[in-house]
Amino acid sequence: AQSVTQLDSHVSVSEGTPVLLRCNYSSSYSPSLFWYVQHPNKGLQLLLKYTSAATLVKGINGFEAEFKKSETSFHLTKPSAHMSDAAEYFCVVSDQGDYKLSFGAGTTVTVRA
Amino acid sequence: DAGVIQSPRHEVTEMGQEVTLRCKPISGHNSLFWYRQTMMRGLELLIYFNNNVPIDDSGMPEDRFSAKMPNASFSTLKIQPSEPRDSAVYFCASSSTGLGYTFGSGTRLTVV
């Protein structure tokens, strides 16, 4: 069985400063890991995914995440936050080959001007 | 690619009425999922179809909920009769490899 813990329910940053969203996972097998973003009243958009290739994964809109097996972590970062990054972010895990996704509780990001 | 298309975007209905939510997956995707999102419970998987066949419906709350996928390009989620506690955002998602799903924009259902 797999599960995800997002360590921060809310993150507030100033525009132009780095963003760090923390995610720890547990998985019985080799995991697939994803980050999704949900803007207000919108659907979920895939930011990036890890599927046992390179441990540093680059996604859209300047986001990237690093898979660290020893720490069971998959933290999401962005060097410089934009106002448009204000949204809710979900870390998601699945066992490879399994259709079931386990969603974290979400991290709400606010960006101050 | 138009993505996963859901309709309607918003639905307001009275308790006891039947509600039908619709989804058109991405062409070529063979897996389709219905999710429900609420503040209290987050995102919950309701049902999973593979090649139009329901594989896992263990998340369907009760007999008032039913889902069909008559062909590869269309699925419905029906609630009959609807209750206020069914108010939520319902998402449809599709996938071809399981390596990341594409979600629709959702249907915001309000049952009064």
Side-chain angles (χ1 to χ4, degrees):
Chain A
Q2 67 267 30
S3 66
V4 162
T5 302
Q6 292 183 242
L7 300 172
D8 307 290
S9 60
H10 186 254
V11 168
S12 180
V13 298
S14 297
E15 190 175 22
T17 65
V19 181
L20 169 65
L21 305 184
R22 298 181 295 164
C23 172
N24 287 118
Y25 71 91
S26 68
S27 175
S28 302
Y29 306 103
S30 297
S32 294
L33 290 153
F34 314 86
W35 276 98
Y36 281 86
V37 61
Q38 185 178 27
H39 287 90
N41 299 314
K42 299 291 186 183
L44 288 88
Q45 180 184 20
L46 180 65
L47 279 177
L48 50 80
K49 61 187 178 187
Y50 165 79
T51 56
S52 77
T55 57
L56 183 62
V57 182
K58 293 189 183 299
I60 62 172
N61 301 335
F63 285 94
E64 64 180 36
E66 186 171 9
F67 172 71
K68 291 186 176 180
K69 186 175 181 179
S70 61
E71 299 177 10
T72 61
S73 69
F74 190 58
H75 301 335
L76 181 71
T77 60
K78 182 173 180 176
S80 176
H82 294 166
M83 297 299 290
S84 60
D85 294 326
E88 188 156 19
Y89 293 78
F90 293 94
C91 182
V92 183
V93 66
S94 71
D95 290 334
Q96 283 203 17
D98 190 351
Y99 63 88
K100 288 189 177 179
L101 300 181
S102 292
F103 284 81
T107 298
T108 301
V109 172
T110 57
V111 183
R112 304 184 301 273
Chain B
D1 185 356
V4 176
I5 300 172
Q6 291 187 246
S7 63
R9 290 296 307 275
H10 302 273
E11 177 80 36
V12 180
T13 191
E14 291 185 347
M15 182 173 62
Q17 295 299 305
E18 177 180 298
V19 175
T20 299
L21 312 181
R22 297 173 175 80
C23 175
K24 176 179 171 55
I26 291 175
S27 177
H29 283 191
N30 62 350
S31 296
L32 184 139
F33 308 82
W34 283 100
Y35 280 85
R36 178 171 67 176
Q37 184 179 37
T38 61
M39 289 291 290
M40 292 295 294
R41 302 171 70 94
L43 279 150
E44 304 172 277
L45 176 64
L46 299 178
I47 188 167
Y48 158 54
F49 290 89
N50 185 254
N51 293 324
N52 312 338
V53 176
I55 304 299
D56 182 357
D57 65 355
S58 60
M60 296 286 265
E62 48 198 272
D63 292 346
R64 297 184 298 105
F65 285 70
S66 63
K68 294 182 179 179
M69 192 165 186
N71 57 61
S73 60
F74 184 65
S75 176
T76 60
L77 177 67
K78 184 178 294 185
I79 308 172
Q80 166 62 22
S82 58
E83 297 182 2
R85 61 192 169 120
D86 302 329
S87 297
V89 181
Y90 291 81
F91 288 104
C92 177
S94 70
S95 171
S96 63
T97 63
L99 299 180
Y101 301 173
T102 301
F103 283 79
S105 297
T107 295
R108 182 174 297 276
L109 174 65
T110 304
V111 183
V112 297

